[in-house]
Amino acid sequence: MNKSCINVGILGWGTVGTGVSKILLNQNALIAKNSGVELSVKKIVKRTLPAAREGVELPVDCLTTDPTEVVDNPDIDIVVELIGGTSESRTLISRAIRNGKHVVTANKALLAEHGAELFQLASEYRVSLNFEASTAGGIPIIKTLQESFAGNQIHSLYGIVNGTCNYILTEMHDRRVDFSEVLKAAQDMGYAEADPTLDVEGIDAAQKLILLIALAYRSNISLSQFYVEGITEITQKEIQYARELGYVIKLLAIAKLGTDNRVEARVHPTLVPERSLLANVGGAFNAVCVIGDAVGPTLFYGQGAGEMPTASAVVADIIDAAKSVQQGVSASISRAWLAGSQSEVDVSPIDDIETRYYLRFVVADRPGVLAMIGTILGNWEISVASVIQKDPHGMETVSLVMLTHSAREKNMKAALAEIHTLEAVKGETKLIRIEEEVDF
């Protein structure tokens, strides 16, 4: 099929949908000049029909409340899903695929849960399912992993992929204020949702990590298979002590390929060296570091959310899909993570990882306590790299802050369980993992 004009239908006209319509309508001539593709917005689905929006002049009868006018419309070539959620979006995307339409989505939660099924369906019906905007907004990390790094074995990747958490941690570091205060400010500014659980508990970052692992290692994993920890327990003390030790705390999504062909996957707060590039990714920005065997370390940086950065990624996918329509082929089928090319890669349990650790103990301020803790750590093959004693807390207790050499997580858990039986140790120990490989 060789069509001169490719028709697009958009499901969802919220923040990102509005941005997509602005680009498609206002930059139509530029898109045609740069890509050779002429695009036309045929239908946009909105749950309730709104008044006209500034900067968007829609064609007559473009808006509808009925999604079937998009997914079942024989004149529409590409369906763009921007409604979010997993139930309705799954049904509509499946229906569009079965109707022979190429699909573009920004729905990370849907792909993390049902990606394998949807890509299998797209492969069966020989249409493309593009999802660049699902991870890190305007950063072209999906296409880079699919295409540019196809000749690399990905050794590891580290992602700051949640702008809300990065904004909160940056503000805590720069303004020296507490988590709760920054979270409220982030909600007031629209950086955080009224219910911020998916962001601050690390779930959003974990969903994005699933997609990155699928592309980097051709392996489908689920949220239940790896360790996820958010930032709600990060205190101003941890921010302060990390700074004194030459580190910055970031919420990282981490994947590494082990020598045993198992993938190490985890999301948690992490100490990264303050001189590293990742440490200096501030505010609501995102960054993904990819280390390949041939290319070495690379870093991709940009806005990870927002109307226009995310819309830019969506439009790039629309153009890709439009080229497939023009050429009569599905250019993305070979790039889908479920196209018969997955390898059998197991996920390493968190207990098996080896890394360095930041530990903060609250202990009785008396001689011999450090020696007792050090002995227990040594018995579990954990070597202390440095230790500092901080000012008394009152009530005759002090903080002991330690950095360890690389140790096994299973051993660390066992050592801490034993340390917590000591009468001199008061309260729970703060533990934050350290990553040195990002120091470039």
Side-chain angles (χ1 to χ4, degrees), residues 1-148:
M1 184 196 314
N2 194 341
K3 299 184 66 174
S4 59
C5 183
I6 309 301
N7 293 323
V8 178
I10 301 174
L11 300 172
W13 207 42
T15 300
V16 177
T18 300
V20 170
S21 62
K22 285 179 182 178
I23 295 174
L24 292 181
L25 294 168
N26 299 338
Q27 302 290 353
N28 188 271
L30 180 66
I31 291 171
K33 178 182 176 181
N34 290 343
S35 68
V37 172
E38 184 179 348
L39 300 171
S40 173
V41 179
K42 192 76 173 177
K43 284 286 182 183
I44 296 176
V45 176
K46 183 78 171 68
R47 295 188 190 281
T48 57
L49 295 182
R53 293 185 178 175
E54 185 177 351
V56 186
E57 187 175 340
L58 295 177
V60 177
D61 298 327
C62 181
L63 281 176
T64 178
T65 59
D66 184 2
T68 63
E69 291 190 37
V70 168
V71 296
D72 292 340
N73 189 331
D75 294 330
I76 288 177
D77 305 294
I78 301 168
V79 172
V80 181
E81 184 275 311
L82 299 170
I83 58 177
T86 58
S87 180
E88 183 183 14
S89 57
R90 177 189 183 190
T91 299
L92 291 173
I93 286 177
S94 298
R95 188 161 170 173
I97 289 171
R98 288 190 171 92
N99 285 332
K101 304 183 188 305
H102 298 267
V103 174
V104 172
T105 181
N107 195 331
K108 61 196 171 284
L110 174 69
L111 294 179
E113 188 173 346
H114 300 294
E117 164 201 328
L118 293 173
F119 272 100
Q120 182 64 58
L121 191 64
S123 180
E124 179 183 343
Y125 282 84
R126 300 201 60 75
V127 296
S128 60
L129 175 54
N130 296 325
F131 56 105
E132 183 65 66
S134 63
T135 301
I139 303 174
I141 189 61
I142 299 299
K143 186 169 291 187
T144 300
L145 285 171
Q146 289 174 326
E147 298 176 357
S148 301

Side-chain angles (χ1 to χ4, degrees), residues 161-328:
V161 291
N162 184 275
T164 299
C165 288
N166 202 47
Y167 171 80
I168 291 172
L169 292 172
T170 301
E171 290 291 289
M172 290 178 71
H173 181 276
D174 292 350
R175 293 177 47 218
R176 306 193 180 201
V177 291
D178 292 331
F179 172 85
S180 58
E181 181 179 341
V182 182
L183 175 59
K184 184 180 184 306
Q187 290 171 319
D188 292 342
M189 296 173 64
Y191 285 148
E193 301 288 343
D195 179 0
T197 302
L198 290 177
D199 290 323
V200 300
E201 295 294 351
I203 299 169
D204 174 83
Q207 291 170 337
K208 294 169 181 175
L209 182 61
I210 289 173
L211 305 188
L212 294 174
I213 286 174
L215 295 166
Y217 303 115
R218 296 297 187 268
S219 175
N220 300 316
I221 68 172
S222 65
L223 200 59
S224 62
Q225 287 180 273
F226 61 98
Y227 180 80
V228 180
E229 176 188 340
I231 65 170
T232 56
E233 298 302 315
I234 298 298
T235 70
Q236 189 53 228
K237 284 187 181 297
E238 269 53 70
I239 297 285
Q240 173 190 333
Y241 297 158
R243 180 193 293 114
E244 292 178 15
L245 292 163
Y247 293 90
V248 175
I249 299 176
K250 295 293 184 183
L251 181 74
L252 290 190
I254 299 170
K256 299 181 182 182
L257 185 63
T259 55
D260 56 359
N261 206 39
R262 292 194 301 173
V263 170
E264 186 179 302
R266 45 195 167 98
V267 172
H268 51 69
T270 310
L271 266 67
V272 297
E274 63 181 356
R275 62 183 177 270
S276 67
L277 293 175
L278 277 184
N280 291 282
V281 176
F285 278 76
N286 281 193
V288 180
C289 167
V290 181
I291 302 175
D293 63 344
V295 73
T298 60
L299 184 71
F300 301 85
Y301 167 84
Q303 296 189 59
E307 178 184 341
M308 300 312 291
T310 306
S312 173
V314 171
V315 170
D317 273 348
I318 293 172
I319 293 170
D320 253 10
K323 290 179 179 179
S324 297
V325 174
Q326 281 191 330
Q327 297 163 7

